[in-house]
Amino acid sequence: MKKIATVVFLMVTFLSFSQKKKEILEKPYSIKDRTISVYTSADSTNLRLSNTDNLIFSDLKQPLETQLCVFVNPNSKFQTFLGIGGAITDASAEVFARLSKEKQLELLNSYYSKEKGIGYSLIRTNIHSCDFSSESYTYIKEGDTDLKSFNIDHDKIFRIPMIKRATEIAGGKINLYVSPWSPPAFMKDNNNMLKGGKLLPKYYQSWANYYVKFINAYEKEGMPVWGLTIQNEPMATQRWESCIYTAEEERDFLKNYLGPTLKNSGLGAKKITVWDHNRDLLSQRASTILDDADANKYVWGIGFHWYESWSGGDPMFENVGKVHEMYPDKNLLFTEGCVESFDANKYQLWKNGERYGRSMINDFNNGTVGWTDWNILLDEKGGPNHVGNFCFAPVHADTKSGELIYTPSYYYIGHFSKFIGNGAKRISSVASRSQLLTTSFMNKDGKIVTVVMNQSNKKLEYNLCVGTKFSAISILPHAIQTLVF
């Protein structure tokens, strides 16, 4: 009886201690004595991630319907933030190599340093060539089913050195993930890396082995690979490297070949992301793969792009939220977006930046954990690109003058990536009127980061409301602000 009493006492003591520890860890957020640092970028001004105000909170009275408000609730927590970054493609690395040493360091700091830049923590890169390469290439000799000729010497010239330097500037805290645009030509039914086509079933295993070869080769170079997507844009027949998978084909390749092959090769911990295409078909692809238990077990998340508006419609942000509702245990990752149709006369077109802000706010509010831009650097022609698919990047290099050109997109991304830390939790953030868009995160140190975007042509006054406190803030027309408190 005495032994039972002792056990009960120990259990009660342990539970009590655990509860107290949990209460300490989950101490309610207090707004008391906090100040607000306001950072602003605005159209038709020189403000670019500029500290424009430092404010205090006052007691909140019942807001009126005539007042514009942003309501932040630190007690309502959602997904954990993974990070923000961009792709280091062959094109980015080739342009980077043409810069002076001083400009190379400036570019790396501008992206990967939290203090000197905007603190990127994700890198996506291509498995052999994509459209943003100077030519089509693979890592094997054509017809080498056994992959005996596999080597990544091509990438050692430009791409690998740049990824290593970026990782170093980021303090080693980078999640690198990789994506293929097409299998080698001989593995496809059109015998061409370009213009779509499908992976022939007889090469499923050889192609799965190719991923393993690539990951092992990169890791041998001292670059840990965090994850991979199965296929870039698997429903797009492009004039560049592309390969078509139906949802069922991607599911079966994953569960019967790629998933088991990675696991059996000791790479089972790599984060596998499916789809990697637009928001329009996101739901169908997710349900086809994730409703299959044998495929589901290999899936870390669902990736998506923003190009569904090519059809003339609006971005389908709500599709992201619908998939999050259906599969809350899976991660949503924005894997690619850029402003298409390069035109050097539009370097400073403000609406290009606003496209980023609108997408990032909506995607995060719909459950996205990470956001990856496309090329981090392109030249003055929007390339190089071996099929002429020239696009914008947040930063361009004029290879004739050697200067770097920072576009509004760079600053819009920075309003998120510079201030939101990895491991932050998204919290509730709601605007009372449609002129403002907003999202909020709580960093691990307890500081809140609230992003507010003014879509209107007017300067607006709004109240930032947190619990029983508020602060009155001004935001310029077509501006984005980050509030840190």
Side-chain angles (χ1 to χ4, degrees):
M1 186 69 182
K2 187 176 181 181
K3 288 183 178 180
I4 294 173
T6 302
V7 170
V8 170
F9 173 77
L10 289 172
M11 288 179 65
V12 170
T13 302
F14 174 76
L15 290 171
S16 176
F17 173 77
S18 298
Q19 185 62 35
K20 287 179 180 178
K21 185 177 180 182
K22 185 176 181 182
E23 288 173 359
I24 292 171
L25 291 173
E26 297 182 358
K27 187 178 180 180
Y29 178 86
S30 174
I31 203 72
K32 185 179 179 182
D33 300 326
R34 291 188 182 248
T35 58
I36 307 164
S37 297
V38 182
Y39 300 88
T40 303
S41 297
D43 191 16
S44 303
T45 73
N46 293 322
L47 298 175
R48 299 293 183 270
L49 283 168
S50 306
N51 186 188
T52 51
D53 227 332
N54 292 286
L55 304 170
I56 61 172
F57 283 99
S58 302
D59 290 336
L60 174 67
K61 296 180 180 179
Q62 171 62 48
L64 303 176
E65 288 188 327
T66 53
Q67 294 176 308
L68 191 55
C69 297
V70 170
F71 302 103
V72 177
N73 184 353
N75 300 316
S76 294
K77 296 183 175 69
F78 307 101
Q79 78 270 23
T80 300
F81 180 75
L82 173 67
I84 291 170
I88 295 182
T89 57
D90 290 311
S92 294
E94 289 166 25
V95 175
F96 179 78
R98 298 177 66 183
L99 295 173
S100 67
K101 290 182 179 180
E102 293 76 17
K103 288 298 178 181
Q104 286 183 351
L105 183 59
E106 178 189 327
L107 188 280
L108 292 173
N109 279 327
S110 72
Y111 272 119
Y112 298 100
S113 169
K114 277 278 190 183
E115 293 72 31
K116 299 177 181 179
I118 59 175
Y120 270 14
S121 58
L122 292 177
I123 295 176
R124 183 189 187 212
T125 199
N126 43 295
I127 298 177
H128 59 232
S129 65
C130 64
D131 51 330
F132 280 91
S133 302
S134 292
E135 61 180 350
S136 285
Y137 68 91
T138 70
Y139 303 121
I140 60 173
K141 294 179 180 178
E142 187 69 5
D144 180 11
T145 304
D146 297 328
L147 314 182
K148 292 179 180 179
S149 57
F150 190 96
N151 74 78
I152 57 168
D153 289 349
H154 176 281
D155 296 4
K156 293 179 182 179
I157 301 172
F158 298 118
R159 189 144 47 105
I160 287 175
M162 187 181 185
I163 293 172
K164 285 184 174 181
R165 290 187 64 187
T167 303
E168 183 181 354
I169 293 291
K173 298 176 181 178
I174 284 285
N175 286 328
L176 170 66
Y177 70 99
V178 301
S179 305
W181 267 244
S182 173
F186 75 90
M187 293 187 184
K188 297 171 66 181
D189 63 3
N190 65 344
N191 199 35
N192 191 342
M193 288 181 69
L194 318 184
K195 302 177 182 178
K198 291 194 175 192
L199 176 64
L200 293 166
K202 67 179 179 179
Y203 292 117
Y204 275 18
Q205 186 58 59
S206 184
W207 183 227
N209 295 340
Y210 201 100
Y211 294 77
V212 172
K213 287 274 192 180
F214 178 82
I215 292 170
N216 285 337
Y218 261 54
E219 295 198 333
K220 188 177 180 181
E221 290 295 313
M223 298 183 300
V225 174
W226 169 81
L228 64 151
T229 72
I230 296 174
Q231 168 64 43
N232 177 73
E233 299 186 346
M235 287 304 294
T237 299
Q238 307 283 24
R239 65 181 186 272
W240 53 87
E241 288 84 344
S242 44
C243 184
I244 304 301
Y245 291 79
T246 66
E248 292 78 11
E249 287 166 343
E250 185 177 4
R251 175 198 66 198
D252 293 347
F253 174 64
L254 170 62
K255 74 176 182 179
N256 296 326
Y257 294 91
L258 183 58
T261 300
L262 289 170
K263 182 179 179 181
N264 294 337
S265 301
L267 302 175
K270 303 303 179 188
K271 307 298 190 289
I272 299 176
T273 297
V274 300
W275 186 223
D276 198 6
H277 204 165
N278 297 329
R279 302 183 189 97
D280 47 10
L281 302 182
L282 188 65
S283 174
Q284 186 264 345
R285 184 68 52 141
S287 60
T288 301
I289 296 173
L290 298 178
D291 287 352
D292 184 301
D294 292 331
N296 183 303
K297 66 183 179 182
Y298 293 114
V299 178
W300 171 84
I302 309 105
F304 62 96
H305 300 181
W306 74 10
Y307 308 110
E308 68 271 7
S309 55
W310 67 267
S311 63
D314 294 328
M316 298 301 292
F317 299 123
E318 61 271 28
N319 285 1
V320 179
K322 295 296 184 183
V323 170
H324 183 57
E325 288 176 359
M326 290 191 289
Y327 305 101
D329 61 324
K330 298 299 180 183
N331 298 283
L332 286 154
L333 178 64
F334 184 90
T335 49
E336 184 187 315
C338 74
V339 177
E340 311 90 331
S341 303
F342 177 78
D343 179 352
N345 294 316
K346 296 180 179 179
Y347 272 138
Q348 301 306 327
L349 186 64
W350 199 255
K351 72 176 183 180
N352 288 348
E354 290 184 309
R355 182 176 178 185
Y356 277 85
R358 190 172 296 110
S359 179
M360 295 177 82
I361 289 172
N362 279 284
D363 289 335
F364 284 129
N365 286 346
N366 279 295
T368 299
V369 301
W371 212 92
T372 323
D373 186 37
W374 190 206
N375 303 278
I376 66 166
L377 177 68
L378 293 173
D379 65 17
E380 68 276 10
K381 297 179 182 178
N385 185 295
H386 71 89
V387 292
N389 181 34
F390 302 121
C391 298
F392 282 94
V395 182
H396 285 261
D398 185 327
T399 58
K400 296 175 183 176
S401 68
E403 293 301 311
L404 294 174
I405 302 159
Y406 295 84
T407 74
S409 302
Y410 170 83
Y411 298 102
Y412 266 78
I413 297 170
H415 273 275
F416 302 81
S417 60
K418 186 175 180 65
F419 303 99
I420 307 169
N422 291 11
K425 287 279 189 181
R426 185 173 69 84
I427 59 176
S428 178
S429 193
V430 180
S432 65
R433 290 285 183 268
S434 61
Q435 292 96 322
L436 298 182
L437 297 176
T438 181
T439 192
S440 292
F441 286 82
M442 181 183 287
N443 283 327
K444 285 183 175 180
D445 63 3
K447 285 189 176 180
I448 288 177
V449 176
T450 294
V451 180
V452 178
M453 180 174 157
N454 181 4
Q455 303 184 92
S456 78
N457 297 321
K458 296 180 180 179
K459 180 181 178 181
L460 300 174
E461 308 291 331
Y462 68 95
N463 291 333
L464 173 68
C465 306
V466 186
T468 59
K469 301 290 183 178
F470 90 103
S471 185
I473 302 175
S474 297
I475 186 168
L476 292 168
H478 294 286
I480 184 169
Q481 290 180 332
T482 301
L483 320 173
V484 182
F485 53 95

